[in-house]
Amino acid sequence: MSYVIYFESHLDLLKNFKTNKQFSLNPFKSKVELFEKYKQKNGIIILTENFFNENRQDFNLNFKNRVCIILTESESEDLKNENHCISMTINEKSAQHAVLEKIIILTYDLYLKEIENRILEKKLIIAEEENLEFQSIGIAMSTEKDIHKLISIILRLSCDLTFADAGVVYLIDKAHQKLHFMMNLNRSLKIDAVPFKMDLNKKSIAGYSALMKKIINIIDVYHITDDVQFSHNREFDEKYNYRTKSILAFPLINHKDEVIGVIQLINKKIDLNELKKASDFQNKVIPFTKRDENLAHALSSQIAVALENAFLYDEIQKLFDGFIKASVQAIESRDPATSGHSERVAVYSVKLAKAINKDQTNYFKDIHFNKDQIKELRYACLLHDFGKIGVRESVLTKEKKLSYEKVKIIETRIQVIKKEMIIQSYKEKMRLIGEELNY
């Protein structure tokens, strides 16, 4: 192990360390040389109390986590209170080579342990952040029922987590053994590709990932070795002047261990800036890491469950829409004279609701129909004549005015009702008279 030491060049007590190969000595003559030359390097710093005091503010700024050995003539409470770095004090005049060597080694070991602790702390913070991200992803995916919006959320979050510049979502059409290109995202080009289908086989990266149920991590798709079965189609790159380099493809596997789709992430970037020049693809695109693979593996089952739930919800919605349509057809088949009436009522009502949403006048400013309410309104309008199912056809299918005979029947009924009311009143009077006579 080599101990890297930065020290003031005039310190004579470090001359004896030059013959010891385990120490890498790096003298500095001025503050500028120390700060500019060694600021980004690891190691411990040995300096006098005077140098430290003269440059204390710069030390706090530039060497906040660096280990320092400060040489003093006496103990200093002021230096002990310095918490910006790990510091030890040694009397420069009485310091012996052997003692200093042991102190340097012990201090350096302490420095390495401090670095290790900081690395562990950083990993813990990253793990906690990832846990929170997974929770937010789970919530976002579980609350969205619209398939296209859900796929958009999945694609955006996948790219965000892995710093991918682009991504594609494929769903598997089992009936026809096809990969259905559902949606793409490209933050540098900002284009929307037209959905298409391609054969599900091992010739494509997505197809290979789906059939083999494996995560595929490629450093550069333009340099794929000949011993693999898949290849990269460069048509998109040539058409849009793009350069696909690193790719991470992972299958979406449901609870039945079936692959329902594939997500293909493209060009992991070192930052969030767009890739505009040819040099950007060379300098700013890096391979996907093992951490990205672990994230993909963890996301895979969550995404598959969310998609299947959305598919199930969509099927239930289609089934309910089919029931509504069949009900309307059944109603209208009993009353052909009003055919199309329920649909027209639904169309006009929905348009009125949307118009109210857009109206910002005083009368309608506090009224707003959300998406679900508009859907409920449409269903209510389509089914508003559902009661016709229980009405006799002779009444329901009447198209013209009542005939003379029917009018006479209605008038007779009215007269009968009047007579019954008169008779009932006479009976009540007789009852009251009888009660008076009894008294």
Side-chain angles (χ1 to χ4, degrees):
M1 178 179 179
S2 178
Y3 297 93
V4 182
I5 303 170
Y6 306 105
F7 67 97
E8 290 182 67
S9 57
H10 64 82
L11 291 175
D12 294 333
L13 57 88
L14 291 171
K15 290 180 179 179
N16 295 327
F17 288 90
K18 291 183 179 179
T19 57
N20 192 334
K21 292 183 178 180
Q22 71 177 140
F23 293 99
S24 174
L25 301 178
N26 299 276
F28 59 88
K29 294 181 180 180
S30 65
K31 174 186 72 174
V32 175
E33 186 178 358
L34 174 63
F35 289 169
E36 294 300 324
K37 201 170 183 180
Y38 302 130
K39 187 169 68 171
Q40 302 299 329
K41 297 181 181 179
N42 292 324
I44 62 175
I45 302 169
I46 300 177
L47 65 159
T48 61
E49 184 179 4
N50 289 336
F51 185 91
F52 178 76
N53 288 333
E54 289 172 2
N55 305 285
R56 184 178 296 228
Q57 187 175 355
D58 291 324
F59 259 89
N60 289 335
L61 181 64
N62 293 283
F63 295 96
K64 191 172 184 179
N65 297 316
R66 189 63 61 87
V67 178
C68 298
I69 296 177
I70 302 174
L71 304 177
T72 66
E73 295 183 3
S74 61
E75 291 292 329
S76 173
E77 291 297 326
D78 186 38
L79 290 177
K80 286 182 179 180
N81 293 329
E82 281 292 337
N83 55 11
H84 73 282
C85 63
I86 301 171
S87 61
M88 297 184 69
T89 58
I90 303 172
N91 191 302
E92 181 182 357
K93 294 180 179 180
S94 61
Q96 297 178 1
H97 172 75
V99 175
L100 184 58
E101 181 178 322
K102 288 182 179 179
I103 290 175
I104 289 173
I105 292 173
L106 289 172
T107 306
Y108 206 92
D109 290 342
L110 184 61
Y111 164 64
L112 293 177
K113 287 180 181 179
E114 182 70 16
I115 291 176
E116 185 179 349
N117 288 337
R118 291 193 190 110
I119 292 172
L120 291 174
E121 287 176 2
K122 188 175 181 180
K123 287 182 178 179
L124 180 61
I125 292 170
I126 292 172
E128 290 176 348
E129 289 175 350
E130 287 179 355
N131 186 39
L132 291 174
E133 285 176 347
F134 276 119
Q135 289 180 17
S136 63
I137 289 170
I139 293 170
M141 290 193 299
S142 62
T143 54
E144 183 56 64
K145 299 296 185 293
D146 184 275
I147 292 176
H148 286 87
K149 287 184 179 179
L150 177 61
I151 292 174
S152 177
I153 291 171
I154 289 169
L155 191 54
R156 176 176 55 80
L157 291 173
S158 298
C159 289
D160 288 345
L161 282 172
T162 58
F163 281 81
D165 183 57
V168 181
V169 175
Y170 297 95
L171 294 181
I172 292 179
D173 181 357
K174 294 180 181 178
H176 303 93
Q177 285 296 292
K178 298 282 186 180
L179 272 176
H180 188 184
F181 177 99
M182 292 294 296
M183 189 176 295
N184 78 299
L185 172 67
N186 193 306
R187 283 165 173 164
S188 292
L189 295 180
K190 294 180 174 61
I191 59 170
D192 293 321
V194 179
F196 64 90
K197 290 186 178 182
M198 63 183 188
D199 293 334
L200 177 61
N201 54 47
K202 295 181 181 179
K203 294 181 179 179
S204 65
I205 297 171
Y208 187 89
S209 177
L211 293 173
M212 300 303 293
K213 296 182 180 179
K214 287 176 60 177
I215 294 175
I216 308 300
N217 190 348
I218 305 171
I219 296 174
D220 190 340
V221 292
Y222 280 29
H223 297 92
I224 297 176
T225 56
D226 296 332
D227 59 340
V228 295
Q229 295 176 265
F230 54 81
S231 60
H232 171 65
N233 190 332
R234 302 188 185 186
E235 288 182 10
F236 179 89
D237 292 0
E238 293 169 355
K239 182 178 179 180
Y240 293 102
N241 195 28
Y242 193 74
R243 168 66 162 93
T244 302
K245 194 174 181 182
S246 57
I247 279 184
L248 180 68
F250 58 96
L252 306 177
I253 304 174
N254 64 14
H255 66 285
K256 297 179 182 178
D257 198 36
E258 299 172 339
V259 179
I260 65 170
V262 176
I263 291 181
Q264 188 167 291
L265 302 175
I266 302 166
N267 287 349
K268 179 181 178 67
K269 299 184 292 186
I270 59 175
D271 53 39
L272 297 177
N273 294 325
E274 296 177 4
L275 304 173
K276 296 180 178 179
K277 300 178 293 184
S279 59
D280 290 342
F281 294 94
Q282 187 65 32
N283 301 325
K284 295 183 179 181
V285 176
I286 58 176
F288 288 94
T289 63
K290 185 66 178 177
R291 171 185 171 274
D292 296 326
E293 291 185 24
N294 293 335
L295 285 172
H297 181 73
L299 279 173
S300 172
S301 57
Q302 281 194 59
I303 294 172
V305 170
L307 283 173
E308 289 211 315
N309 287 341
F311 292 148
L312 181 61
Y313 181 83
D314 189 59
E315 288 177 5
I316 293 172
Q317 190 66 48
K318 288 178 179 177
L319 184 64
F320 185 71
D321 287 343
F323 166 75
I324 297 293
K325 185 177 181 180
S327 299
V328 172
Q329 288 176 346
I331 294 167
E332 293 183 346
S333 66
R334 299 197 68 218
D335 186 12
T338 60
S339 178
H341 164 70
S342 296
E343 183 64 35
R344 288 191 295 272
V345 171
V347 170
Y348 294 144
S349 298
V350 168
K351 285 184 176 181
L352 282 171
K354 291 181 177 179
I356 289 173
N357 284 349
K358 294 178 181 178
D359 192 353
Q360 298 298 318
T361 61
N362 293 331
Y363 193 80
F364 293 117
K365 68 177 183 179
D366 297 326
I367 302 174
H368 181 80
F369 297 93
N370 60 36
K371 183 181 177 181
D372 291 335
Q373 289 172 330
I374 289 177
K375 185 186 291 186
E376 290 172 4
L377 175 64
R378 180 174 178 274
Y379 289 150
C381 293
L382 289 172
L383 295 174
H384 79 278
D385 272 346
F386 197 76
K388 287 183 178 181
I389 293 292
V391 179
R392 295 194 306 272
E393 288 191 11
S394 59
V395 176
L396 196 63
T397 57
K398 177 186 64 62
E399 298 179 7
K400 300 178 181 179
K401 293 181 179 180
L402 292 173
S403 63
Y404 177 79
E405 290 79 10
K406 293 288 179 67
V407 171
K408 284 297 180 183
I409 291 173
I410 291 173
E411 289 178 348
T412 302
R413 284 184 178 180
I414 293 172
Q415 292 300 322
V416 169
I417 291 171
K418 285 183 177 180
K419 297 294 183 182
E420 286 180 350
M421 291 176 67
I422 293 171
I423 292 170
Q424 189 63 33
S425 68
Y426 282 143
K427 286 182 178 180
E428 184 65 18
K429 287 180 180 179
M430 293 297 294
R431 185 181 68 76
L432 293 173
I433 292 171
E435 290 178 354
E436 289 180 359
L437 291 174
N438 290 334
Y439 282 110

